[in-house]
Amino acid sequence: MAKIVVDVMLKPEILDPQGVAVSAALPRLGFNFAKSVRQGKRFEIEVDGEPTPAQLAEVEKAAETLLANPVIETFTVRVEK
Amino acid sequence: MKVGVVTFPGTLDDRDAARAATHAGTTAVSLWHGDADLKGVDAVILPGGFSYGDYLRCGAISRFAPVMEKIIDAANGGMPLLGICNGFQVLCEAHLLPGALTRNHELHFLCRDQKLEITSNTTAWTSSYQVGQEIVIPLKNGEGSFQCDDATLAKLEGEGRIIARYVGENPNGSRNKIAGITNERGNVVGLMPHPEHAIDTLTGPTADGLGFFTSVLSAMVK
């Protein structure tokens, strides 16, 4: 069984108020390393056996159609062992 | 004239939208998200709420509901279609309108009476207003910040497709204070604030919202 991971992030030019709130909270807790924080989404999709190129192409299509909104977001698809 | 009001799981404002349509002199018809049937309506309203719990992104799952296929086809054919709040989010997810609605810039859920300026009265839903007219209707949303790229914004501005703007402080970080937009044809309108909650002074802050629902009646009579 393999896991296909789809990471979705807001495009850099889209304001991410959640990321801004997290980056404002970090220094209050004494964590001073962050110049900025952006928050995204991660989808873990389990499939039987090794994913085939056709399956990955389908996942790409699903990501573009449903998992991400290409108007404001970008996504990556990868296989995690 | 029959105006369909769609109910998705999690829709809140379908009853107020139906009441507003009735108040304006049209016949409200309830449409169910799971039925690919428009029941012969002449126009459709996608009301506010939290369809599918706002899971994934607001409107992202509703956009693929069986009733939406029929609505998208009909809207592409010129049927008047109004999306209010969550309905606006559904219209953007369905690519019937450009851009997207994202989290309010200060993260707060807003619920207040909001002053708007009507900036276009050539759409199916705004012809009852004067350009420049100021109205006050409720605004209540967590993800009402209208975002799009610069080219889309320039196009919307250039083509006069912004139908309403927030007056005063920008409540949610929307680009150019956009509260509502229309498509090229003017039959599809998305609006973040809620005209259906302001159709009489007994139940709303004003009766300023009624114009959206009388506009569509005159659009159909023409």
Side-chain angles (χ1 to χ4, degrees), chain B residues 83-170:
Chain B
I84 303 166
C85 192
N86 189 217
F88 187 5
Q89 294 161 342
V90 174
L91 293 181
C92 288
E93 283 285 342
H95 307 303
L96 285 170
L97 293 174
L101 282 311
T102 63
R103 197 67 65 104
N104 295 346
H105 67 326
E106 285 173 339
L107 289 172
H108 302 292
F109 187 95
L110 298 172
C111 186
R112 66 186 196 201
D113 297 336
Q114 174 69 43
K115 192 184 276 185
L116 306 178
E117 180 190 0
I118 301 291
T119 49
S120 165
N121 65 355
T122 56
T123 79
W125 300 92
T126 56
S127 62
S128 296
Y129 297 100
Q130 303 294 318
V131 169
Q133 187 176 343
E134 290 193 346
I135 65 170
V136 174
I137 61 176
L139 174 70
K140 46 165 194 159
N141 66 73
E143 309 211 2
S145 179
F146 180 80
Q147 299 297 323
C148 62
D149 59 31
D150 292 343
T152 306
L153 189 65
K155 192 161 189 261
L156 288 171
E157 290 282 3
E159 294 175 358
R161 285 168 50 193
I162 294 156
I163 63 118
R165 283 184 221 270
Y166 301 110
V167 174
E169 195 191 343
N170 191 336

Coordinates of all heavy atoms in Angstrom, one line a residue, chain B residues 83-170:
Chain B
G83 N -25.9 34.6 -6.1 CA -25.3 33.9 -5.0 C -25.0 34.9 -3.9 O -24.3 35.9 -4.1
I84 N -25.6 34.6 -2.7 CA -25.4 35.5 -1.5 C -24.5 34.8 -0.6 O -24.7 33.6 -0.2 CB -26.8 35.8 -0.9 CG1 -27.7 36.4 -1.9 CG2 -26.6 36.7 0.3 CD1 -29.2 36.4 -1.3
C85 N -23.4 35.5 -0.1 CA -22.5 35.0 0.9 C -21.9 33.6 0.5 O -21.1 33.5 -0.4 CB -23.2 34.9 2.2 SG -22.1 34.6 3.6
N86 N -22.4 32.5 1.1 CA -21.9 31.2 0.8 C -22.3 30.9 -0.7 O -21.5 30.2 -1.4 CB -22.6 30.1 1.7 CG -22.0 28.7 1.5 OD1 -22.7 27.7 1.6 ND2 -20.7 28.6 1.3
G87 N -23.4 31.5 -1.2 CA -23.8 31.3 -2.6 C -22.7 32.0 -3.5 O -22.4 31.5 -4.6
F88 N -22.2 33.1 -3.1 CA -21.2 33.8 -3.9 C -19.9 32.9 -3.9 O -19.3 32.7 -5.0 CB -20.9 35.1 -3.2 CG -19.9 36.1 -3.8 CD1 -19.4 35.8 -5.1 CD2 -19.5 37.3 -3.2 CE1 -18.6 36.8 -5.8 CE2 -18.7 38.2 -3.8 CZ -18.2 37.9 -5.1
Q89 N -19.6 32.3 -2.8 CA -18.4 31.4 -2.8 C -18.6 30.2 -3.7 O -17.7 29.8 -4.4 CB -18.2 30.9 -1.3 CG -17.8 32.0 -0.3 CD -18.1 31.6 1.1 OE1 -18.8 30.7 1.4 NE2 -17.4 32.4 2.0
V90 N -19.9 29.7 -3.8 CA -20.2 28.6 -4.7 C -20.0 29.0 -6.1 O -19.4 28.3 -6.9 CB -21.6 28.0 -4.5 CG1 -22.0 27.0 -5.5 CG2 -21.8 27.4 -3.1
L91 N -20.5 30.3 -6.5 CA -20.3 30.8 -7.8 C -18.9 30.9 -8.3 O -18.5 30.6 -9.4 CB -21.1 32.1 -8.0 CG -22.6 32.1 -7.8 CD1 -23.2 33.5 -8.0 CD2 -23.2 31.1 -8.8
C92 N -18.0 31.3 -7.3 CA -16.6 31.4 -7.6 C -16.0 30.1 -7.8 O -15.2 29.8 -8.7 CB -15.9 32.2 -6.6 SG -16.2 34.0 -6.6
E93 N -16.3 29.1 -6.9 CA -15.8 27.8 -7.1 C -16.3 27.1 -8.4 O -15.6 26.3 -9.0 CB -16.3 26.9 -5.9 CG -15.5 27.2 -4.6 CD -14.1 26.6 -4.6 OE1 -13.8 25.7 -5.4 OE2 -13.2 27.0 -3.8
A94 N -17.5 27.5 -8.8 CA -18.0 26.9 -10.0 C -17.5 27.7 -11.3 O -17.9 27.3 -12.4 CB -19.6 27.0 -10.0
H95 N -16.7 28.7 -11.1 CA -16.1 29.5 -12.1 C -17.1 30.2 -12.9 O -16.9 30.6 -14.1 CB -15.2 28.6 -13.0 CG -14.1 27.9 -12.3 ND1 -13.2 28.5 -11.4 CD2 -13.8 26.6 -12.2 CE1 -12.4 27.6 -10.9 NE2 -12.8 26.4 -11.3
L96 N -18.3 30.4 -12.4 CA -19.3 31.3 -13.0 C -18.9 32.7 -12.8 O -19.3 33.6 -13.5 CB -20.7 31.0 -12.5 CG -21.3 29.7 -13.0 CD1 -22.6 29.4 -12.2 CD2 -21.6 29.8 -14.5
L97 N -18.2 33.0 -11.7 CA -17.6 34.3 -11.4 C -16.1 34.2 -11.2 O -15.7 33.1 -10.7 CB -18.3 34.9 -10.2 CG -19.8 35.3 -10.4 CD1 -20.4 35.8 -9.0 CD2 -20.0 36.4 -11.4
P98 N -15.3 35.2 -11.5 CA -13.9 35.1 -11.3 C -13.5 35.3 -9.9 O -14.3 35.8 -9.1 CB -13.3 36.2 -12.2 CG -14.4 37.2 -12.2 CD -15.7 36.4 -12.2
G99 N -12.3 35.0 -9.5 CA -11.8 35.3 -8.2 C -12.2 34.2 -7.2 O -12.7 33.1 -7.5
A100 N -12.0 34.5 -5.9 CA -12.3 33.6 -4.8 C -12.5 34.4 -3.6 O -12.0 35.6 -3.4 CB -11.1 32.6 -4.6
L101 N -13.2 33.8 -2.6 CA -13.4 34.5 -1.3 C -12.6 33.8 -0.3 O -12.6 32.5 -0.1 CB -14.9 34.3 -0.9 CG -15.9 35.2 -1.6 CD1 -15.5 36.7 -1.5 CD2 -16.3 34.8 -3.0
T102 N -11.7 34.5 0.4 CA -10.8 33.9 1.4 C -11.1 34.5 2.8 O -11.9 35.4 2.9 CB -9.4 34.2 1.0 OG1 -9.1 35.6 1.0 CG2 -9.0 33.7 -0.4
R103 N -10.4 34.0 3.8 CA -10.6 34.4 5.2 C -10.5 35.9 5.4 O -9.6 36.5 4.8 CB -9.5 33.6 6.0 CG -9.7 33.6 7.5 CD -10.9 32.7 7.8 NE -10.7 31.3 7.5 CZ -10.4 30.3 8.4 NH1 -10.3 30.6 9.7 NH2 -10.2 29.1 8.0
N104 N -11.4 36.4 6.1 CA -11.4 37.9 6.5 C -10.0 38.2 6.9 O -9.4 37.5 7.7 CB -12.4 38.2 7.6 CG -13.8 38.0 7.1 OD1 -14.1 37.8 5.9 ND2 -14.7 38.0 8.1
H105 N -9.5 39.4 6.5 CA -8.1 39.7 6.8 C -7.7 39.8 8.3 O -6.6 39.6 8.7 CB -7.6 41.0 6.0 CG -8.3 42.3 6.5 ND1 -9.6 42.3 7.0 CD2 -7.8 43.5 6.6 CE1 -9.9 43.6 7.3 NE2 -8.8 44.3 7.0
E106 N -8.7 40.1 9.1 CA -8.4 40.1 10.6 C -8.9 38.9 11.3 O -9.0 38.8 12.5 CB -9.0 41.4 11.2 CG -8.1 42.6 10.8 CD -8.6 43.9 11.2 OE1 -9.8 44.0 11.5 OE2 -7.8 44.9 11.3
L107 N -9.3 37.9 10.5 CA -9.7 36.5 11.0 C -11.1 36.5 11.8 O -11.6 35.4 12.1 CB -8.6 35.9 11.9 CG -7.4 35.5 11.2 CD1 -6.3 35.1 12.2 CD2 -7.7 34.3 10.3
H108 N -11.6 37.7 12.1 CA -12.9 37.7 12.9 C -14.1 37.3 12.0 O -14.1 37.7 10.8 CB -13.2 39.1 13.5 CG -12.1 39.6 14.4 ND1 -11.8 39.0 15.6 CD2 -11.2 40.6 14.2 CE1 -10.8 39.6 16.1 NE2 -10.4 40.6 15.3
F109 N -15.0 36.6 12.6 CA -16.3 36.4 11.9 C -17.0 37.8 12.1 O -17.1 38.3 13.2 CB -17.1 35.3 12.5 CG -18.4 35.0 11.8 CD1 -18.4 34.0 10.8 CD2 -19.5 35.7 12.0 CE1 -19.6 33.7 10.1 CE2 -20.7 35.4 11.3 CZ -20.7 34.4 10.4
L110 N -17.5 38.3 11.0 CA -18.2 39.6 11.1 C -19.7 39.4 11.1 O -20.2 38.5 10.4 CB -17.9 40.5 9.9 CG -16.4 40.9 9.7 CD1 -16.3 41.5 8.3 CD2 -16.0 41.8 10.8
C111 N -20.5 40.2 11.9 CA -21.9 40.2 11.8 C -22.4 41.6 12.2 O -22.3 42.0 13.4 CB -22.5 39.2 12.8 SG -24.3 39.0 12.7
R112 N -22.8 42.3 11.2 CA -23.1 43.7 11.5 C -23.9 44.3 10.3 O -23.9 43.7 9.2 CB -21.9 44.6 11.7 CG -21.0 44.7 10.5 CD -19.7 45.4 10.9 NE -19.0 45.9 9.8 CZ -17.7 46.2 9.8 NH1 -17.0 46.1 10.9 NH2 -17.1 46.7 8.7
D113 N -24.5 45.4 10.5 CA -25.2 46.1 9.4 C -24.1 46.9 8.7 O -23.3 47.6 9.3 CB -26.3 47.1 9.9 CG -27.4 46.3 10.6 OD1 -27.5 45.1 10.3 OD2 -28.0 46.9 11.5
Q114 N -24.1 46.8 7.3 CA -23.0 47.3 6.5 C -23.5 48.2 5.5 O -24.5 47.9 4.8 CB -22.3 46.1 5.9 CG -21.2 46.5 4.9 CD -20.0 47.2 5.6 OE1 -19.5 46.7 6.6 NE2 -19.5 48.3 5.0
K115 N -22.8 49.4 5.3 CA -23.2 50.3 4.3 C -22.5 49.9 3.0 O -21.3 49.6 3.0 CB -22.8 51.7 4.7 CG -23.5 52.8 3.8 CD -23.0 54.2 4.1 CE -23.8 54.8 5.2 NZ -23.5 56.2 5.4
L116 N -23.2 49.9 1.9 CA -22.7 49.6 0.6 C -23.0 50.7 -0.4 O -24.0 51.3 -0.3 CB -23.3 48.3 0.0 CG -23.3 47.0 0.8 CD1 -24.0 45.9 0.0 CD2 -21.9 46.6 1.1
E117 N -22.2 50.8 -1.4 CA -22.6 51.7 -2.6 C -22.8 50.8 -3.8 O -22.0 49.9 -4.1 CB -21.4 52.6 -2.9 CG -21.8 53.5 -4.0 CD -20.6 54.4 -4.6 OE1 -19.5 54.2 -4.0 OE2 -20.8 55.1 -5.5
I118 N -24.0 50.9 -4.4 CA -24.3 50.2 -5.6 C -23.5 50.9 -6.7 O -23.6 52.1 -6.9 CB -25.8 50.2 -5.9 CG1 -26.6 49.6 -4.7 CG2 -26.1 49.5 -7.2 CD1 -26.5 48.1 -4.6
T119 N -22.7 50.1 -7.5 CA -21.9 50.6 -8.5 C -22.2 50.2 -9.9 O -21.6 50.6 -10.9 CB -20.4 50.3 -8.2 OG1 -20.3 48.9 -7.9 CG2 -19.9 51.1 -7.0
S120 N -23.2 49.3 -10.0 CA -23.7 49.0 -11.4 C -25.2 48.6 -11.2 O -25.6 47.8 -10.4 CB -23.0 47.8 -11.9 OG -23.7 47.3 -13.1
N121 N -26.0 49.2 -12.1 CA -27.5 48.8 -12.1 C -27.9 48.2 -13.5 O -29.0 48.3 -13.8 CB -28.3 50.0 -11.7 CG -28.3 51.1 -12.7 OD1 -27.5 51.0 -13.7 ND2 -29.1 52.1 -12.5
T122 N -26.9 47.6 -14.2 CA -27.2 47.0 -15.5 C -27.3 45.5 -15.4 O -27.4 44.8 -16.4 CB -26.2 47.4 -16.5 OG1 -24.9 47.1 -16.0 CG2 -26.2 48.9 -16.8
T123 N -27.3 44.9 -14.2 CA -27.4 43.5 -14.0 C -28.9 43.1 -13.8 O -29.7 43.9 -13.4 CB -26.6 43.0 -12.9 OG1 -27.3 43.2 -11.6 CG2 -25.2 43.6 -12.8
A124 N -29.1 41.8 -13.9 CA -30.5 41.3 -13.6 C -30.9 41.5 -12.2 O -32.1 41.4 -11.9 CB -30.5 39.8 -14.0
W125 N -30.0 41.7 -11.3 CA -30.3 41.8 -9.9 C -30.2 43.1 -9.3 O -30.4 43.3 -8.0 CB -29.4 40.7 -9.1 CG -29.6 39.3 -9.5 CD1 -28.9 38.7 -10.5 CD2 -30.6 38.4 -9.1 NE1 -29.4 37.4 -10.6 CE2 -30.5 37.2 -9.8 CE3 -31.7 38.5 -8.1 CZ2 -31.3 36.1 -9.6 CZ3 -32.5 37.4 -7.9 CH2 -32.3 36.2 -8.6
T126 N -29.7 44.1 -10.0 CA -29.5 45.5 -9.4 C -30.2 46.6 -10.2 O -29.9 47.8 -9.9 CB -28.0 45.8 -9.4 OG1 -27.4 45.7 -10.7 CG2 -27.2 44.8 -8.4
S127 N -31.1 46.3 -11.1 CA -31.7 47.4 -11.9 C -32.6 48.3 -11.1 O -33.0 49.4 -11.6 CB -32.4 46.7 -13.1 OG -33.5 45.9 -12.7
S128 N -33.1 47.8 -9.9 CA -34.0 48.6 -9.1 C -33.2 49.8 -8.4 O -33.9 50.6 -7.8 CB -34.7 47.8 -8.1 OG -35.5 46.8 -8.7
Y129 N -31.9 49.7 -8.5 CA -31.1 50.7 -7.7 C -30.6 51.8 -8.7 O -30.5 51.6 -9.9 CB -29.9 50.1 -7.0 CG -30.3 49.1 -6.0 CD1 -30.3 47.7 -6.3 CD2 -30.7 49.5 -4.7 CE1 -30.7 46.8 -5.3 CE2 -31.1 48.6 -3.7 CZ -31.1 47.2 -4.0 OH -31.5 46.3 -3.1
Q130 N -30.2 52.9 -8.1 CA -29.4 54.0 -8.8 C -27.9 53.7 -8.6 O -27.5 53.3 -7.5 CB -29.8 55.4 -8.3 CG -31.3 55.7 -8.3 CD -31.8 55.8 -9.7 OE1 -31.1 56.4 -10.6 NE2 -33.0 55.2 -10.0
V131 N -27.1 54.0 -9.6 CA -25.7 53.9 -9.4 C -25.3 55.0 -8.4 O -25.8 56.2 -8.6 CB -24.9 54.1 -10.8 CG1 -23.4 54.3 -10.5 CG2 -25.1 52.9 -11.6
G132 N -24.5 54.7 -7.4 CA -24.1 55.6 -6.4 C -25.0 55.6 -5.2 O -24.7 56.2 -4.2
Q133 N -26.1 54.8 -5.3 CA -27.0 54.7 -4.2 C -26.4 54.0 -3.0 O -25.7 53.0 -3.2 CB -28.3 54.0 -4.6 CG -29.4 53.9 -3.6 CD -30.7 53.3 -4.1 OE1 -30.8 53.1 -5.3 NE2 -31.5 52.8 -3.2
E134 N -26.5 54.5 -1.8 CA -26.0 53.8 -0.6 C -27.1 53.0 0.1 O -28.2 53.6 0.3 CB -25.3 54.8 0.3 CG -24.1 55.4 -0.3 CD -23.2 56.1 0.7 OE1 -23.7 56.5 1.9 OE2 -22.1 56.4 0.4
I135 N -26.8 51.8 0.4 CA -27.8 51.0 1.1 C -27.1 50.3 2.3 O -25.9 50.2 2.4 CB -28.4 49.8 0.2 CG1 -27.3 48.8 -0.2 CG2 -29.0 50.4 -1.1 CD1 -27.8 47.6 -0.9
V136 N -28.0 49.9 3.3 CA -27.5 49.3 4.5 C -28.1 47.9 4.6 O -29.4 47.8 4.7 CB -27.7 50.1 5.8 CG1 -27.3 49.3 7.0 CG2 -27.0 51.5 5.7
I137 N -27.3 46.9 4.6 CA -27.9 45.5 4.7 C -26.9 44.7 5.6 O -25.7 45.1 5.8 CB -28.1 44.8 3.4 CG1 -26.8 44.7 2.6 CG2 -29.1 45.5 2.5 CD1 -26.9 43.9 1.3
P138 N -27.3 43.6 6.2 CA -26.4 42.9 7.1 C -25.2 42.2 6.3 O -25.4 41.8 5.2 CB -27.3 41.8 7.7 CG -28.7 42.3 7.6 CD -28.7 43.1 6.3
L139 N -24.1 42.2 7.0 CA -22.9 41.5 6.5 C -22.6 40.5 7.6 O -22.5 40.8 8.8 CB -21.8 42.5 6.3 CG -20.4 41.9 6.0 CD1 -20.4 41.3 4.6 CD2 -19.3 42.9 6.1
K140 N -22.4 39.2 7.2 CA -22.1 38.2 8.3 C -21.3 37.1 7.6 O -21.9 36.3 6.8 CB -23.3 37.6 9.0 CG -24.5 37.3 8.0 CD -25.5 36.4 8.7 CE -26.4 35.8 7.7 NZ -27.2 34.6 8.0
N141 N -20.0 37.1 7.8 CA -19.2 36.1 7.2 C -17.8 35.9 7.8 O -17.4 36.9 8.5 CB -19.0 36.4 5.7 CG -18.2 37.7 5.5 OD1 -17.0 37.7 5.7 ND2 -18.8 38.7 5.1
G142 N -17.2 34.8 7.6 CA -15.9 34.6 8.1 C -14.9 34.6 6.9 O -13.7 34.9 7.1
E143 N -15.4 34.2 5.8 CA -14.5 34.2 4.6 C -15.1 35.0 3.5 O -15.7 34.5 2.5 CB -14.3 32.7 4.1 CG -13.9 31.8 5.3 CD -13.0 30.7 5.0 OE1 -12.7 30.5 3.8 OE2 -12.7 29.9 5.9
G144 N -15.0 36.3 3.6 CA -15.7 37.2 2.7 C -14.7 38.1 2.0 O -15.1 39.1 1.3
S145 N -13.4 37.8 2.0 CA -12.4 38.7 1.4 C -12.3 38.3 0.0 O -11.7 37.3 -0.4 CB -11.1 38.5 2.2 OG -10.1 39.3 1.6
F146 N -12.7 39.2 -0.9 CA -12.7 38.9 -2.3 C -11.2 39.1 -2.9 O -10.7 40.1 -2.7 CB -13.6 39.8 -3.1 CG -13.6 39.5 -4.6 CD1 -14.3 38.4 -5.1 CD2 -12.8 40.3 -5.5 CE1 -14.2 38.1 -6.5 CE2 -12.8 40.0 -6.8 CZ -13.4 38.9 -7.3
Q147 N -10.7 38.0 -3.5 CA -9.3 38.0 -4.0 C -9.3 37.6 -5.4 O -10.1 36.7 -5.8 CB -8.4 37.1 -3.2 CG -8.3 37.5 -1.7 CD -7.7 38.8 -1.4 OE1 -6.8 39.2 -2.1 NE2 -8.2 39.6 -0.5
C148 N -8.5 38.2 -6.2 CA -8.2 37.8 -7.6 C -6.9 38.4 -8.0 O -6.3 39.2 -7.3 CB -9.4 38.3 -8.5 SG -9.5 40.0 -8.6
D149 N -6.4 38.0 -9.2 CA -5.1 38.5 -9.6 C -5.3 39.9 -10.2 O -6.5 40.3 -10.5 CB -4.4 37.6 -10.6 CG -5.2 37.3 -11.8 OD1 -6.0 38.1 -12.3 OD2 -5.1 36.1 -12.4
D150 N -4.2 40.6 -10.5 CA -4.3 42.0 -10.9 C -5.0 42.1 -12.3 O -5.8 43.1 -12.5 CB -2.9 42.6 -11.1 CG -2.2 42.8 -9.7 OD1 -3.0 42.7 -8.7 OD2 -1.0 42.9 -9.7
A151 N -4.8 41.2 -13.2 CA -5.4 41.2 -14.5 C -6.9 41.1 -14.4 O -7.7 41.9 -15.0 CB -4.9 40.1 -15.4
T152 N -7.4 40.2 -13.5 CA -8.8 40.0 -13.3 C -9.5 41.2 -12.7 O -10.5 41.7 -13.1 CB -9.1 38.8 -12.4 OG1 -8.4 37.7 -13.0 CG2 -10.6 38.5 -12.3
L153 N -8.7 41.8 -11.7 CA -9.3 43.0 -11.1 C -9.4 44.2 -12.1 O -10.4 44.9 -12.1 CB -8.3 43.4 -9.9 CG -8.8 44.5 -9.0 CD1 -10.0 44.1 -8.2 CD2 -7.7 44.9 -8.0
A154 N -8.4 44.3 -12.9 CA -8.4 45.4 -13.9 C -9.6 45.2 -14.9 O -10.3 46.1 -15.3 CB -7.1 45.5 -14.7
K155 N -9.8 43.9 -15.2 CA -10.9 43.6 -16.1 C -12.3 43.9 -15.5 O -13.1 44.5 -16.1 CB -10.8 42.1 -16.5 CG -11.7 41.6 -17.6 CD -11.2 40.3 -18.2 CE -11.9 39.9 -19.5 NZ -13.0 39.0 -19.3
L156 N -12.4 43.5 -14.2 CA -13.7 43.7 -13.5 C -14.0 45.2 -13.4 O -15.1 45.7 -13.7 CB -13.6 43.1 -12.1 CG -13.7 41.6 -12.0 CD1 -13.4 41.1 -10.6 CD2 -15.1 41.1 -12.5
E157 N -12.9 46.0 -13.1 CA -13.0 47.4 -13.0 C -13.4 48.0 -14.3 O -14.3 48.9 -14.5 CB -11.8 48.1 -12.4 CG -11.5 47.7 -10.9 CD -12.3 48.6 -10.0 OE1 -13.2 49.4 -10.4 OE2 -12.2 48.4 -8.7
G158 N -12.6 47.6 -15.3 CA -12.7 48.2 -16.7 C -14.1 47.9 -17.3 O -14.6 48.8 -18.1
E159 N -14.6 46.8 -17.0 CA -15.9 46.4 -17.6 C -17.1 46.7 -16.8 O -18.2 46.4 -17.1 CB -15.9 44.9 -17.9 CG -14.9 44.5 -19.0 CD -14.8 43.0 -19.2 OE1 -15.4 42.2 -18.5 OE2 -14.0 42.6 -20.1
G160 N -16.9 47.5 -15.7 CA -18.0 47.9 -14.8 C -18.7 46.7 -14.2 O -19.9 46.8 -14.0
R161 N -17.9 45.7 -13.8 CA -18.6 44.4 -13.3 C -18.6 44.3 -11.8 O -19.0 43.3 -11.3 CB -17.9 43.2 -14.0 CG -18.4 43.1 -15.4 CD -17.6 42.1 -16.2 NE -17.5 40.8 -15.4 CZ -16.6 39.8 -15.7 NH1 -15.8 40.0 -16.8 NH2 -16.5 38.7 -15.0
I162 N -18.1 45.4 -11.1 CA -18.3 45.5 -9.7 C -19.6 46.1 -9.4 O -19.9 47.2 -9.8 CB -17.1 46.2 -9.1 CG1 -15.8 45.4 -9.3 CG2 -17.3 46.5 -7.6 CD1 -14.6 46.3 -9.3
I163 N -20.5 45.3 -8.7 CA -21.9 45.8 -8.6 C -22.1 46.5 -7.2 O -23.0 47.3 -7.1 CB -22.9 44.7 -8.8 CG1 -22.7 43.6 -7.7 CG2 -22.8 44.1 -10.1 CD1 -23.9 43.5 -6.8
A164 N -21.2 46.3 -6.3 CA -21.3 46.9 -5.0 C -20.0 46.9 -4.3 O -19.2 46.0 -4.4 CB -22.4 46.3 -4.1
R165 N -19.7 48.1 -3.5 CA -18.5 48.2 -2.7 C -18.9 48.5 -1.3 O -19.9 49.2 -1.1 CB -17.6 49.3 -3.3 CG -16.9 49.0 -4.5 CD -16.0 50.2 -4.9 NE -16.0 50.4 -6.3 CZ -15.1 49.8 -7.1 NH1 -14.2 49.1 -6.7 NH2 -15.2 50.1 -8.4
Y166 N -18.0 48.1 -0.4 CA -18.2 48.5 1.0 C -17.9 50.0 1.1 O -16.9 50.5 0.5 CB -17.2 47.7 1.9 CG -17.5 46.2 1.8 CD1 -16.5 45.4 1.3 CD2 -18.6 45.7 2.3 CE1 -16.7 44.0 1.2 CE2 -18.9 44.3 2.2 CZ -17.9 43.5 1.7 OH -18.2 42.1 1.6
V167 N -18.7 50.7 1.9 CA -18.5 52.1 2.2 C -17.8 52.2 3.6 O -18.2 51.5 4.5 CB -19.8 52.9 2.2 CG1 -19.6 54.4 2.6 CG2 -20.4 52.8 0.8
G168 N -16.8 53.1 3.7 CA -16.1 53.3 5.0 C -15.0 52.3 5.0 O -14.4 51.9 4.0
E169 N -14.7 51.8 6.2 CA -13.5 50.9 6.4 C -13.8 49.6 5.7 O -14.9 49.1 5.7 CB -13.4 50.6 7.9 CG -12.1 50.0 8.3 CD -12.2 49.5 9.8 OE1 -13.1 50.0 10.5 OE2 -11.3 48.7 10.2
N170 N -12.7 49.0 5.1 CA -12.9 47.7 4.4 C -13.0 46.6 5.5 O -12.2 46.4 6.3 CB -11.6 47.5 3.6 CG -11.7 46.3 2.7 OD1 -12.5 45.4 2.9 ND2 -10.9 46.3 1.6

